[in-house]
Structure formats: structure tokens, C-alpha cells
Amino acid sequence: QVQLVESGGGSVQAGGSLRLSCAASGDTYSTHHMAWFRQAPGKQREVVAVIYTAGGNPYYVDSVKGRFTISQDKSKNTVYLQMNSLKPEDTAMYYCAARAAGGSWSIFNSDHYTNWGQGTQVTVSS
């Protein structure tokens, strides 16, 4: 099992930056794909960025390309989401999610992720 704990959320003005962290515990972390999702009030949860356990190009939703960067430090069992040039529409609860590698899955389907953090709130004011 992988346990996930997010941190780093907060309130910023438009154009500002935040870095979210997701600390993972459990000896299977290194074999999991890791993702950041977000959910704004009244909206569906959407995948923001995914980093794959085998490496390769991360996935980003179009609305954050060029502004957000997902990365990981396997020595610290931590995944990061660097968010720059924040916009009011980025306001949401952000969740870290994990899924063991292998099998058929869709990065867009939140049901395909097996482990979730508690979420961290990001609020961007105009």
C-alpha cells in the first residue's frame, strides 16, 4: 500500500506561484505512476499532470501546459507540482494520486487510481 500526504497549498494572487508536495510512504512507491488531480466546486475532478514510473514525457492537461511542472524525487519519495503564472481558474482542491504500474488503465479516469491523498486547497485571487 502507498500512503500519500499533500502539502503546499495556499492563497496567492494571479500570476503567483506555489509548489505542491506529495509525500509517499510504502515500499511499493517506486513502482507507481503518480498524478495530480484537481476539483473545483461544482466541477468534476480532472487530471492535471501525470508522471510515469518508467519515465518518459509527463502528461499535462492543456490548460496548465507551460505553467505547471510535475517532478519527483525518488530518494525522498516525494512528487511535486510546481505551479507558475497561476490563474483564478486554477482555484481548486488538489489531490495526489497513485496507481501501480501494469494493467489497462486510463490516466483520465480517477477510478483507476488506487491511492489518494487528503487534498490541499489552492486559491488564486484576481
Side-chain angles (χ1 to χ4, degrees), residues 8-11 18 20 39-41 90-94 119-124:
S11 297
L18 285 172
L20 306 183
Q39 187 166 20
D90 295 318
T91 295
M93 185 72 80
Y94 283 71
T120 186
Q121 178 68 37
V122 172
T123 302
V124 185

Side-chain angles (χ1 to χ4, degrees), residues 5-123:
V5 179
E6 303 100 331
S7 61
S11 297
V12 296
Q13 290 191 329
S17 297
L18 285 172
R19 188 177 79 159
L20 306 183
S21 298
C22 173
S25 59
D27 57 8
T28 58
Y29 161 76
S30 61
T31 61
H32 282 62
H33 306 299
M34 302 296 296
W36 286 97
F37 279 75
R38 67 184 178 186
Q39 187 166 20
K43 294 189 176 181
Q44 286 191 334
R45 190 171 296 191
E46 69 167 348
V47 63
V48 176
V50 181
I51 191 164
Y52 304 100
T53 183
N57 293 327
Y59 165 83
Y60 297 97
V61 68
D62 284 347
S63 59
V64 308
K65 283 181 180 177
R67 300 188 298 122
F68 290 13
T69 303
I70 188 171
S71 63
Q72 61 183 343
D73 185 338
K74 292 193 174 184
S75 69
K76 296 182 179 180
N77 284 359
T78 301
V79 176
Y80 303 98
L81 186 67
Q82 178 67 44
M83 305 186 296
N84 299 327
S85 302
L86 283 161
K87 303 176 181 181
E89 50 264 44
D90 295 318
T91 295
M93 185 72 80
Y94 283 71
Y95 298 90
C96 180
R99 176 197 163 84
S104 177
W105 67 299
S106 167
I107 63 171
F108 304 105
N109 190 337
S110 59
D111 290 339
H112 290 181
Y113 292 81
T114 53
N115 306 91
W116 291 85
Q118 82 287 353
T120 186
Q121 178 68 37
V122 172
T123 302

